[in-house]
Amino acid sequence: MAAEQISFHWRGEPLELLGAKGLWDPQRRLLLVADLHLGKAETFQAHGIPLPSDGDGATLNDLLALAHRWRPQQVLVLGDLIHSRLGLTGELRAKLAALPELLGCPLRLIGGNHELGSWIEGLPQEPSQAVGPWWLSHAPDPRDGLLNLCGHLHPVAVVGGGADRLRLPCFSYCARSERLALPAFGRLTGGHPCSQRDRIWLVADGAVVDWTQAPPSRDRAA
């Protein structure tokens, strides 16, 4: 059944998987998101590809709505807040500078591969780190005794078949490596199918639903 949020427990520690593509840690009042890829349209435009510049506003509005709903003590981005240095325009820098006040709390950034070589005033790139029982990283980086919360993978699940086939963003949990990957938060992001062995929760239209993936067919396996 679809809901605004679904509870997930790891060794007795609660997390809320949000249909708005964020992750809520109620014990620490920490809101986590990953892979906003702000400035992606401007990056493509710099290479001569006329991608419309309307994705950032929608993505930032989504983030503000999420923060106003949950009132976190901190918002932490698990990497790839921006898409590249080419897209880090003066306008985007001004929006990022205003974000903490608009969010109503501090904004922190775990450095991702798309931030490499970039500098954002007032928002230093932090290394992967432990916060309570979690190991926070951009790319998957499992650590013994901690649950790895990460981005980077842009997990999606393929639902249906034929003309009704859909690719939907999802949360993806790998029990073998103790890794929970967040869906990409940005409006202008693609996705990659997650492993058939992962437990997944689909997100669409602000709702999240626990989902069992169909096993691969014999034809596909061949």
Side-chain angles (χ1 to χ4, degrees), residues 46-75:
H47 292 291
I49 301 172
L51 197 65
S53 299
D54 55 2
D56 285 358
T59 296
L60 289 170
N61 285 337
D62 290 344
L63 182 60
L64 292 175
L66 197 54
H68 293 164
R69 162 69 177 83
W70 291 95
R71 301 294 180 183
Q73 290 186 355
Q74 296 184 57
V75 172

Short mmCIF file of all heavy atoms in Angstrom, two decimals, residues 46-75:
data_model
loop_
_atom_site.label_atom_id
_atom_site.label_comp_id
_atom_site.label_asym_id
_atom_site.label_seq_id
_atom_site.Cartn_x
_atom_site.Cartn_y
_atom_site.Cartn_z
N ALA A 46 26.23 24.60 -21.92
CA ALA A 46 27.62 24.97 -22.19
C ALA A 46 28.25 24.09 -23.25
O ALA A 46 29.21 24.47 -23.91
CB ALA A 46 28.43 24.90 -20.90
N HIS A 47 27.68 22.88 -23.44
CA HIS A 47 28.16 21.97 -24.48
C HIS A 47 27.29 22.02 -25.74
O HIS A 47 27.40 21.15 -26.60
CB HIS A 47 28.19 20.54 -23.94
CG HIS A 47 29.24 20.32 -22.88
ND1 HIS A 47 30.59 20.32 -23.14
CD2 HIS A 47 29.12 20.09 -21.54
CE1 HIS A 47 31.27 20.10 -22.03
NE2 HIS A 47 30.40 19.98 -21.04
N GLY A 48 26.42 23.05 -25.82
CA GLY A 48 25.62 23.24 -27.01
C GLY A 48 24.34 22.45 -27.06
O GLY A 48 23.69 22.37 -28.11
N ILE A 49 23.93 21.85 -25.94
CA ILE A 49 22.69 21.06 -25.89
C ILE A 49 21.62 21.91 -25.21
O ILE A 49 21.75 22.26 -24.03
CB ILE A 49 22.90 19.74 -25.12
CG1 ILE A 49 24.01 18.93 -25.79
CG2 ILE A 49 21.61 18.93 -25.06
CD1 ILE A 49 24.44 17.71 -25.01
N PRO A 50 20.55 22.28 -25.93
CA PRO A 50 19.56 23.24 -25.40
C PRO A 50 18.57 22.59 -24.42
O PRO A 50 17.39 22.44 -24.70
CB PRO A 50 18.85 23.72 -26.67
CG PRO A 50 18.92 22.55 -27.59
CD PRO A 50 20.25 21.88 -27.32
N LEU A 51 19.04 22.25 -23.22
CA LEU A 51 18.17 21.69 -22.20
C LEU A 51 17.51 22.84 -21.44
O LEU A 51 18.19 23.78 -21.04
CB LEU A 51 18.99 20.82 -21.23
CG LEU A 51 18.24 19.84 -20.34
CD1 LEU A 51 17.56 18.77 -21.18
CD2 LEU A 51 19.19 19.20 -19.34
N PRO A 52 16.19 22.83 -21.25
CA PRO A 52 15.51 23.94 -20.56
C PRO A 52 16.02 24.13 -19.14
O PRO A 52 16.29 23.16 -18.43
CB PRO A 52 14.04 23.50 -20.55
CG PRO A 52 13.92 22.52 -21.67
CD PRO A 52 15.24 21.80 -21.73
N SER A 53 16.12 25.40 -18.71
CA SER A 53 16.67 25.74 -17.39
C SER A 53 15.56 25.88 -16.36
O SER A 53 15.47 26.88 -15.66
CB SER A 53 17.47 27.04 -17.47
OG SER A 53 18.55 26.93 -18.34
N ASP A 54 14.71 24.87 -16.22
CA ASP A 54 13.62 24.98 -15.25
C ASP A 54 13.66 23.88 -14.19
O ASP A 54 12.79 23.82 -13.33
CB ASP A 54 12.26 24.96 -15.96
CG ASP A 54 12.08 23.74 -16.86
OD1 ASP A 54 12.99 22.89 -16.90
OD2 ASP A 54 11.03 23.65 -17.53
N GLY A 55 14.66 23.01 -14.25
CA GLY A 55 14.71 21.90 -13.30
C GLY A 55 15.15 22.29 -11.90
O GLY A 55 14.66 21.74 -10.91
N ASP A 56 16.09 23.24 -11.80
CA ASP A 56 16.63 23.60 -10.49
C ASP A 56 15.57 24.17 -9.56
O ASP A 56 15.51 23.84 -8.37
CB ASP A 56 17.77 24.61 -10.63
CG ASP A 56 19.05 23.97 -11.16
OD1 ASP A 56 19.07 22.74 -11.36
OD2 ASP A 56 20.02 24.72 -11.36
N GLY A 57 14.74 25.05 -10.10
CA GLY A 57 13.70 25.65 -9.27
C GLY A 57 12.76 24.62 -8.69
O GLY A 57 12.42 24.66 -7.50
N ALA A 58 12.36 23.67 -9.52
CA ALA A 58 11.46 22.62 -9.05
C ALA A 58 12.14 21.74 -8.00
O ALA A 58 11.53 21.38 -6.98
CB ALA A 58 10.98 21.77 -10.23
N THR A 59 13.41 21.40 -8.22
CA THR A 59 14.14 20.57 -7.27
C THR A 59 14.30 21.28 -5.94
O THR A 59 14.10 20.70 -4.87
CB THR A 59 15.53 20.19 -7.84
OG1 THR A 59 15.35 19.37 -9.01
CG2 THR A 59 16.35 19.43 -6.82
N LEU A 60 14.67 22.56 -5.98
CA LEU A 60 14.85 23.32 -4.74
C LEU A 60 13.52 23.52 -4.00
O LEU A 60 13.47 23.45 -2.77
CB LEU A 60 15.50 24.66 -5.04
CG LEU A 60 16.98 24.58 -5.45
CD1 LEU A 60 17.47 25.92 -5.95
CD2 LEU A 60 17.84 24.10 -4.29
N ASN A 61 12.45 23.72 -4.75
CA ASN A 61 11.14 23.84 -4.11
C ASN A 61 10.74 22.53 -3.43
O ASN A 61 10.13 22.54 -2.35
CB ASN A 61 10.08 24.25 -5.14
CG ASN A 61 10.17 25.71 -5.52
OD1 ASN A 61 10.70 26.53 -4.76
ND2 ASN A 61 9.66 26.06 -6.69
N ASP A 62 11.07 21.41 -4.07
CA ASP A 62 10.80 20.11 -3.45
C ASP A 62 11.55 19.97 -2.12
O ASP A 62 11.01 19.47 -1.13
CB ASP A 62 11.23 18.97 -4.39
CG ASP A 62 10.35 18.83 -5.61
OD1 ASP A 62 9.24 19.39 -5.62
OD2 ASP A 62 10.77 18.16 -6.57
N LEU A 63 12.81 20.42 -2.12
CA LEU A 63 13.61 20.33 -0.91
C LEU A 63 13.07 21.23 0.19
O LEU A 63 12.99 20.83 1.37
CB LEU A 63 15.07 20.68 -1.21
CG LEU A 63 16.05 20.58 -0.05
CD1 LEU A 63 16.10 19.16 0.50
CD2 LEU A 63 17.44 21.03 -0.48
N LEU A 64 12.68 22.43 -0.17
CA LEU A 64 12.12 23.35 0.82
C LEU A 64 10.82 22.80 1.40
O LEU A 64 10.58 22.88 2.62
CB LEU A 64 11.88 24.72 0.19
CG LEU A 64 13.13 25.51 -0.21
CD1 LEU A 64 12.74 26.78 -0.94
CD2 LEU A 64 13.98 25.83 1.01
N ALA A 65 9.97 22.24 0.55
CA ALA A 65 8.71 21.66 1.02
C ALA A 65 8.97 20.52 2.00
O ALA A 65 8.28 20.38 3.02
CB ALA A 65 7.88 21.18 -0.16
N LEU A 66 9.98 19.71 1.70
CA LEU A 66 10.32 18.58 2.56
C LEU A 66 10.83 19.07 3.92
O LEU A 66 10.45 18.55 4.98
CB LEU A 66 11.38 17.73 1.86
CG LEU A 66 11.61 16.30 2.35
CD1 LEU A 66 10.32 15.51 2.39
CD2 LEU A 66 12.64 15.61 1.46
N ALA A 67 11.69 20.09 3.89
CA ALA A 67 12.22 20.64 5.15
C ALA A 67 11.12 21.30 5.97
O ALA A 67 11.09 21.16 7.20
CB ALA A 67 13.34 21.63 4.86
N HIS A 68 10.21 21.99 5.34
CA HIS A 68 9.13 22.64 6.07
C HIS A 68 8.17 21.61 6.66
O HIS A 68 7.56 21.84 7.70
CB HIS A 68 8.39 23.61 5.16
CG HIS A 68 9.23 24.77 4.73
ND1 HIS A 68 8.90 25.59 3.66
CD2 HIS A 68 10.40 25.26 5.22
CE1 HIS A 68 9.84 26.52 3.52
NE2 HIS A 68 10.75 26.34 4.45
N ARG A 69 8.08 20.46 5.99
CA ARG A 69 7.21 19.39 6.51
C ARG A 69 7.81 18.72 7.74
O ARG A 69 7.10 18.44 8.72
CB ARG A 69 6.99 18.35 5.40
CG ARG A 69 6.48 16.98 5.83
CD ARG A 69 5.05 17.03 6.32
NE ARG A 69 4.57 15.71 6.65
CZ ARG A 69 4.78 15.07 7.80
NH1 ARG A 69 5.49 15.66 8.75
NH2 ARG A 69 4.29 13.87 8.01
N TRP A 70 9.13 18.48 7.75
CA TRP A 70 9.75 17.69 8.81
C TRP A 70 10.50 18.52 9.85
O TRP A 70 10.82 18.02 10.91
CB TRP A 70 10.70 16.65 8.19
CG TRP A 70 9.93 15.61 7.46
CD1 TRP A 70 9.64 15.56 6.12
CD2 TRP A 70 9.29 14.46 8.03
NE1 TRP A 70 8.86 14.48 5.81
CE2 TRP A 70 8.64 13.78 6.97
CE3 TRP A 70 9.20 13.95 9.32
CZ2 TRP A 70 7.91 12.59 7.18
CZ3 TRP A 70 8.48 12.77 9.54
CH2 TRP A 70 7.85 12.12 8.47
N ARG A 71 10.80 19.77 9.57
CA ARG A 71 11.48 20.66 10.51
C ARG A 71 12.76 20.03 11.07
O ARG A 71 12.91 19.86 12.29
CB ARG A 71 10.54 21.04 11.66
CG ARG A 71 9.27 21.73 11.22
CD ARG A 71 9.55 23.08 10.62
NE ARG A 71 8.32 23.76 10.18
CZ ARG A 71 8.29 24.94 9.58
NH1 ARG A 71 9.44 25.57 9.32
NH2 ARG A 71 7.16 25.48 9.19
N PRO A 72 13.71 19.68 10.21
CA PRO A 72 14.93 19.01 10.68
C PRO A 72 15.85 19.96 11.42
O PRO A 72 15.78 21.18 11.26
CB PRO A 72 15.58 18.53 9.38
CG PRO A 72 15.13 19.53 8.35
CD PRO A 72 13.72 19.89 8.75
N GLN A 73 16.73 19.38 12.21
CA GLN A 73 17.81 20.15 12.82
C GLN A 73 18.93 20.39 11.82
O GLN A 73 19.67 21.36 11.93
CB GLN A 73 18.34 19.45 14.07
CG GLN A 73 17.37 19.46 15.23
CD GLN A 73 17.97 18.89 16.50
OE1 GLN A 73 19.09 18.39 16.50
NE2 GLN A 73 17.22 18.96 17.59
N GLN A 74 19.06 19.47 10.84
CA GLN A 74 20.05 19.61 9.78
C GLN A 74 19.52 18.94 8.52
O GLN A 74 18.78 17.95 8.60
CB GLN A 74 21.38 18.94 10.14
CG GLN A 74 22.13 19.52 11.30
CD GLN A 74 23.46 18.82 11.50
OE1 GLN A 74 24.30 18.77 10.60
NE2 GLN A 74 23.66 18.28 12.68
N VAL A 75 19.90 19.48 7.38
CA VAL A 75 19.69 18.81 6.09
C VAL A 75 21.07 18.42 5.58
O VAL A 75 21.97 19.25 5.50
CB VAL A 75 18.98 19.72 5.07
CG1 VAL A 75 18.96 19.06 3.69
CG2 VAL A 75 17.56 20.03 5.52
#
